[in-house]
Every structure is written in structure tokens, then in C-alpha cells.
Amino acid sequence: MHRLMACLVALICTAPSMARAVDVSGQVVAGKGVAKDAVIYLDSETKPAPLAHAVIDQRDKTFLPHVTVVTAGTIVHFPNNDSVFHNVFAYFNAKKFDLGMYPRGASKSVTFDKKGLVSVLCNIHSDMSAYIMVVETPYYAVSDKQGRYRIKDVPAGTYSVHVWHESGASLTSTLNVRADSGSVNLTLARK
């Protein structure tokens, strides 16, 4: 999966023909398999409010979830529910921070106010990692274990669609959303 050379994203827009908004859904396919934890989002002039609640938990020396999407201005909480100390930090693109070491039961927070990708790590456990994609759109999703995703209530129109995967594969293309849309295939290639 980490050597993903190409992915195929099938976007299927479905809704009753009289509806003004549709769900955009499909599957991210990686080579002969699926790409879980891929981020899919559509550019929009509609700027959403920050999310009311976002959490990246620390359990069993793992960040949960591994990939998170938040809107700009969202405060993300990093509770330590592990049996060991952690030191959560990021020095990548949209946000740089270092929360210092803290024990089980403690929680620290960071506001993500600039769009872009943030790679989150633990200074104590080098194999711990997570990603936060900060977007300025209400239209986004993260693919599940089967590579499936759904972006709900997308108004008809033309959008730039972006797909990102931790392997380094990414794509920006155009998507026309209509009530009678079928499917649109997009090829995601590694940079």
C-alpha cells in the first residue's frame, strides 16, 4: 500500500432527479486492492464552521483514528488513554506544535487554523503516526477499510476534487455534480 503507484477513484452521484444536492460516493482502489484512509474533498466557496468536536486518541501505542479530516479553526483533542507517556508533535505543513510528555488520563488540545496536511508523531514511540487534513470545505470524506466513502449533500455544480493518500499518491481533477450523474473515474498517481 505504501508503494501505491496508481489508484482509481469511482465517484457515483446518486439522488432523486428533483433534488438540488446529491451524495457523492464511490471507492478508492489501489492497484489490485483498495486504499483505506484516503482523503477525498471537494473545493467549495462555502466555508464551514469549525467542527464542534474532534479527537485523536492514544491507545496501545497507536493514534486513533489514523487519518482525520477537520475544517479550519477546529480544536483537536489528544487524550492519552494508553498505559505509557506520550509526546505528541507535528512539524509538517499546516501546523507545527509539540505538546510535551503527558501521562495516561491527561489530554492536550491544538487549534488547526490553516488548511493543509499535518503529520502527527510521538517523540517517544517512533512507530506512532497519524495524519490530519485541514480543509476549508464542508464536502469531504475518508475512505473506510474497503476503500468506500460518501460525501453527503453536495449541491449540483462543478468542483475541484482532491484525493490524498499517505503513500504519497494524490490527485486534483474536475468533477461535475448533477442530480442525474452516473460515475466519474479518476486516476490517482504517486508524485
Side-chain angles (χ1 to χ4, degrees), residues 29-127:
V29 179
K32 294 181 181 179
V34 296
K36 73 173 190 167
D37 291 334
V39 174
I40 304 94
Y41 66 96
L42 308 176
D43 282 344
S44 171
E45 292 182 14
T46 302
K47 301 301 181 209
L51 299 179
H53 188 72
V55 175
I56 297 180
D57 198 358
Q58 299 159 80
R59 291 180 186 266
D60 300 321
K61 297 181 185 172
T62 303
F63 289 115
L64 300 171
H66 182 63
V67 176
T68 302
V69 180
V70 300
T71 53
T74 297
I75 298 170
V76 177
H77 304 279
F78 295 91
N80 183 353
N81 289 302
D82 214 335
S83 60
V84 296
F85 278 74
H86 289 290
N87 181 357
V88 179
F89 75 98
Y91 292 111
F92 190 75
N93 291 348
K95 189 71 173 185
K96 296 178 182 181
F97 62 90
D98 188 333
L99 299 180
M101 289 192 357
Y102 57 104
R104 178 185 188 107
S107 183
K108 297 193 177 184
S109 303
V110 176
T111 301
F112 291 84
D113 48 9
K114 179 181 173 188
K115 74 176 184 174
L117 180 65
V118 180
S119 178
V120 179
L121 301 166
C122 175
N123 204 14
I124 301 169
H125 306 98
S126 61
D127 57 336

Side-chain angles (χ1 to χ4, degrees), residues 39-43 69 133-137 139-141 151 160-164:
V39 174
I40 304 94
Y41 66 96
L42 308 176
D43 282 344
V69 180
M133 182 67 77
V134 184
V135 297
E136 293 181 329
T137 178
Y139 310 117
Y140 59 86
I151 304 172
S160 289
V161 59
H162 304 273
V163 185
W164 171 88

